[in-house]
C-alpha cells in the first residue's frame, strides 16, 4: 500500500482548528479563536470586484500579478514606509499571506535545512518549513516586564551550519509584540553575519497602536535593509482591508527570490484571481479612512479587554502594540488545550490555546479582540466567572 509522504505526515494539525472544530458543532459560541475581524469587507471593495468582472477581468494575468497592482504596491511603500521598490522585480502578488510564506520558504530552503522561527507564532510558517522537508527550530521571545523581547543569546545558540532562514512576525500573532527598531537592526545584522535569509511576516503592519497618529504603519524591516539584503516580507490584504476570504496578498523580496517565486507560482496558483487583484487596487487607493476607524475601534477593544483581564485572578497580560490579539498567561496552567475546551463547553467562549503557537505558548490563551464590544463584554464576564470558580 502506498503511504502518505513523511514530509506531509510530519506537518502537525493546527490546534486552533482542532478547537474550532469542536466549537463549530455547538450553538451560540462567542468565537474569539480565529484571527479575523467580524467586520465584513467594505462595500467599495465589493463593488470594485463586481465592476472588474463586468469589465472583463476574467482572464489569466502575469504570474507576478497585474503590473498596475504591483506599481500601486510600490507607491504604497514609498508613501507609507519611505521605501523604494522595483515593482517589476521585487514585488509579487500572491493568493494570500500564507501563500507568500509558502512560496518564499520553498525558494530558500533545501531538504534538511534548518530555519529559526521566533515564537509564540502563528503555526503556518513552521508548517511550511516542515512541508519543504526542512526543520523549524523554535526560539521563544522573552517576557521582560510587560513587553516581549527577542532573545538574541538563544538565537546565537540555535544557529548551526544547516541554518538558512530566520522567520519572525511583527506585529505578532499571537503576542501583539512589535519589533523595536533596535531589534530589527540586530535581527538584520544577525542574519547578515550568519548568511541567513530573513523572512518578516508583516501582515499586521497597519494594525499598530504605538504611534499617536492614527494609521501610521509599524515600521517595516524594508526601511533598514538594502535591496541587496537577503530579506523577504510576507504581506496580505486580509487583515488591513477585512478581506480574509478573498485570498490575496503579496511578497517583497530580493530580485532573485522575486523572480523565482514568480516562476514557481506558475505551477502552484499561476496568480490570484484577476478581478480580485483589481479590487485590491481599489482597497489600496480608497482604504485609509475605513482603516482608521477600524484602528480606533480595535484600540478601544484592546483597552477594554486588557483592563478586564488584568482584574481577573491569576492572569497576567503583556501590553501589545499591534495586531488584534491578547495573549494572557494563566497562573498554573499546563494544558491550554484542555483549558480552552472546558471553557468552551462550560461557558461557550471560544479562545485559541497557547500551545498552538509553539515554544513559549503553553500556559497562555489567545483572545482575538476584533469582535463587537457586546461579544467581548460577555466573553470577559464568562472567563472571569470560569477562572474564579477555579
Ligand atoms: C501572522 C500571520 N501571517 C499570515 C497570515 C495569513 O493571512 P492570509 O493568508 O489570510 O493572507 C495570518 C493570518 O491569520 C497571520 O496571522
Amino acid at each position: 500500500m502506498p503511504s502518505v509522504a513523511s514530509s506531509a505526515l510530519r506537518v502537525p494539525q493546527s490546534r486552533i482548528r482542532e478547537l474550532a472544530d469542536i466549537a463549530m458543532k455547538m450553538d451560540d459560541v462567542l468565537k474569539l479563536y480565529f484571527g479575523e475581524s467580524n467586520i465584513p469587507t467594505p462595500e467599495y471593495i465589493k463593488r470594485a470586484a463586481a465592476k472588474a468582472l463586468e469589465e472583463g477581468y476574467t482572464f489569466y494575468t502575469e504570474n507576478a500579478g497585474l503590473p498596475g497592482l504591483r506599481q500601486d504596491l510600490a507607491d504604497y511603500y514609498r508613501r507609507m514606509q519611505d521605501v523604494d521598490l522595483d515593482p517589476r522585480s521585487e514585488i509579487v502578488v500572491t493568493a494570500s499571506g500564507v501563500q507568500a510564506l509558502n512560496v518564499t520558504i520553498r525558494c530558500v530552503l533545501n531538504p534538511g535545512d534548518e530555519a529559526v522561527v521566533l515564537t509564540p507564532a502563528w503555526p503556518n510558517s513552521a508548517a511550511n518549513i516542515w512541508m519543504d522537508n526542512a526543520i523549524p527550530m523554535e526560539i521563544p521571545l522573552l517576557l521582560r516586564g510587560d513587553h516581549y523581547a527577542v532573545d538574541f543569546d538563544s538565537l546565537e545558540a540555535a544557529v548551526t551550519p544547516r541554518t538558512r532562514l530566520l522567520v519572525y512576525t511583527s506585529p505578532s500573532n499571537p503576542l501583539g509584540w512589535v519589533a523595536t527598531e533596535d531589534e530589527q537592526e540586530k535581527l538584520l545584522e544577525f542574519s547578515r553575519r550568519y548568511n541567513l535569509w530573513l523572512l518578516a511576516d508583516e501582515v499586521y503592519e497597519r494594525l499598530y497602536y504605538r504611534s499617536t497618529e492614527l494609521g501610521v504603519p509599524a515600521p517595516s524591516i524594508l526601511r533598514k535593509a538594502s535591496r541587496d539584503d537577503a530579506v523577504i516580507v510576507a504581506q496580505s490584504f486580509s487583515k488591513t482591508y477585512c478581506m480574509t476570504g478573498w485570498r490575496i496578498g503579496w511578497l517583497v523580496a530580493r530580485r532573485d527570490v522575486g523572480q523565482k517565486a514568480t516562476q514557481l507560482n506558475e505551477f502552484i496558483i499561476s496568480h490570484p484571481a484577476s478581478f480580485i487583484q483589481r479590487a485590491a487596487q481599489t482597497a489600496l487607493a480608497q482604504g485609509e479612512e475605513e482603516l482608521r476607524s477600524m484602528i480606533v475601534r480595535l484600540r478601544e477593544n484592546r483597552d477594554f479587554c486588557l483592563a478586564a483581564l488584568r482584574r481577573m485572578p491569576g492572569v497576567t497580560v503583556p501590553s501589545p502594540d499591534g495586531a488584534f490579539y491578547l495573549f494572557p498567561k494563566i497562573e498554573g496552567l499546563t494544558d491550554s488545550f484542555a483549558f480552552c475546551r472546558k471553557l468552551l463547553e462550560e461557558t461557550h467562549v471560544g479562545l485559541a490555546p497557547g500551545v498552538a503557537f509553539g515554544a513559549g505558548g503553553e500556559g497562555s490563551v489567545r483572545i482575538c479582540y476584533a469582535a463587537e464590544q457586546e461579544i467581548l463584554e460577555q466573553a470577559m464576564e464568562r472567563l472571569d466567572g470560569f477562572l474564579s470558580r477555579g
Side-chain angles (χ1 to χ4, degrees):
M1 270 280 273
S3 57
V4 174
S6 54
S7 58
L9 291 174
R10 264 201 306 270
V11 179
Q13 146 88 320
S14 161
R15 304 230 57 202
I16 311 172
R17 178 59 67 177
E18 203 178 323
L19 199 283
D21 283 345
I22 305 170
M24 280 169 179
K25 295 195 189 87
M26 296 169 54
D27 292 325
D28 306 323
V29 171
L30 303 177
K31 299 186 190 88
L32 306 181
Y33 43 74
F34 279 147
E36 68 183 344
S37 149
N38 55 359
I39 306 173
T41 306
E43 283 305 317
Y44 73 91
I45 300 177
K46 292 193 218 165
R47 279 198 302 273
K51 181 159 173 275
L53 279 170
E54 275 162 25
E55 285 172 356
Y57 281 89
T58 58
F59 295 98
Y60 289 132
T61 72
E62 290 79 353
N63 287 137
L66 289 168
L69 174 52
R70 279 179 280 146
Q71 182 62 55
D72 290 349
L73 286 166
D75 294 344
Y76 172 88
Y77 274 101
R78 194 165 310 114
R79 215 166 51 238
M80 290 291 159
Q81 299 282 3
D82 199 17
V83 163
D84 278 318
L85 295 172
D86 178 1
R88 285 159 308 176
S89 59
E90 292 165 343
I91 299 174
V92 180
V93 182
T94 59
S96 75
V98 70
Q99 205 256 313
L101 291 174
N102 177 277
V103 71
T104 49
I105 291 173
R106 180 68 191 79
C107 283
V108 300
L109 290 184
N110 283 314
D113 282 349
E114 291 171 8
V116 176
V117 182
L118 299 192
T119 57
W122 190 56
N124 292 36
S125 17
N128 271 293
I129 292 163
W130 282 122
M131 283 199 279
D132 288 330
N133 277 305
I135 303 153
M137 315 293 279
E138 298 181 342
I139 302 296
L141 286 130
L142 285 179
L143 186 56
R144 293 215 178 98
D146 77 342
H147 275 85
Y148 281 92
V150 179
D151 180 355
F152 284 97
D153 291 340
S154 297
L155 269 187
E156 292 277 351
V159 171
T160 76
R162 300 246 50 169
T163 313
R164 294 274 174 281
L165 169 68
L166 168 55
V167 187
Y168 75 99
T169 308
S170 169
S172 149
N173 170 7
L175 303 176
W177 163 78
V178 179
T180 62
E181 298 221 10
D182 182 51
E183 284 174 322
Q184 285 184 325
E185 268 156 31
K186 286 190 179 142
L187 286 168
L188 192 55
E189 186 275 324
F190 183 87
S191 311
R192 286 176 182 149
R193 183 151 41 95
Y194 288 105
N195 257 327
L196 308 179
W197 285 94
L198 182 62
L199 169 54
D201 181 334
E202 297 187 348
V203 309
Y204 295 97
E205 174 201 38
R206 300 305 303 281
L207 307 183
Y208 180 58
Y209 316 110
R210 213 188 277 151
S211 169
T212 44
E213 204 184 320
L214 218 51
V216 170
S220 170
I221 190 69
L222 296 169
R223 289 194 195 184
K224 304 275 178 207
S226 85
R227 299 293 74 84
D228 291 323
D229 271 313
V231 166
I232 301 166
V233 167
Q235 260 287 14
S236 173
F237 287 83
S238 285
K239 317 290 172 173
T240 308
Y241 303 106
C242 305
M243 291 174 73
T244 47
W246 296 62
R247 314 313 297 138
I248 184 151
W250 73 91
L251 63 90
V252 177
R254 202 175 70 187
R255 291 168 297 282
D256 48 354
V257 163
Q259 226 166 28
K260 198 32 99 176
T262 301
Q263 185 217 332
L264 291 196
N265 261 358
E266 167 66 18
F267 310 115
I268 308 172
I269 49 148
S270 299
H271 59 78
S274 320
F275 61 97
I276 289 176
Q277 294 189 56
R278 288 291 288 166
Q281 283 186 269
T282 301
L284 288 175
Q286 297 175 29
E288 290 302 311
E289 206 180 305
E290 295 223 16
L291 175 59
R292 279 196 289 272
S293 21
M294 181 166 82
I295 295 169
V296 171
R297 211 177 58 94
L298 288 175
R299 205 158 48 183
E300 283 168 10
N301 288 357
R302 178 198 64 163
D303 293 344
F304 167 77
C305 292
L306 255 182
L309 286 164
R310 285 180 172 159
R311 286 193 295 268
M312 292 181 201
V315 174
T316 44
V317 207
S319 293
D321 290 316
F324 45 42
Y325 307 104
L326 292 171
F327 202 61
K329 204 169 182 49
I330 296 168
E331 202 180 306
L333 185 62
T334 53
D335 185 345
S336 54
F337 190 87
F339 176 90
C340 286
R341 185 180 191 139
K342 192 159 183 261
L343 177 75
L344 175 70
E345 285 167 353
E346 289 183 13
T347 71
H348 287 213
V349 173
L351 305 184
V355 68
F357 303 94
E362 188 51 287
S364 298
V365 293
R366 187 191 72 177
I367 299 170
C368 174
Y369 56 77
E372 284 95 350
Q373 177 95 31
E374 310 83 77
I375 293 181
L376 296 174
E377 277 168 16
Q378 286 182 52
M380 290 301 113
E381 203 179 302
R382 292 186 204 173
L383 177 61
D384 191 20
F386 183 79
L387 286 169
S388 305
R389 287 196 295 279

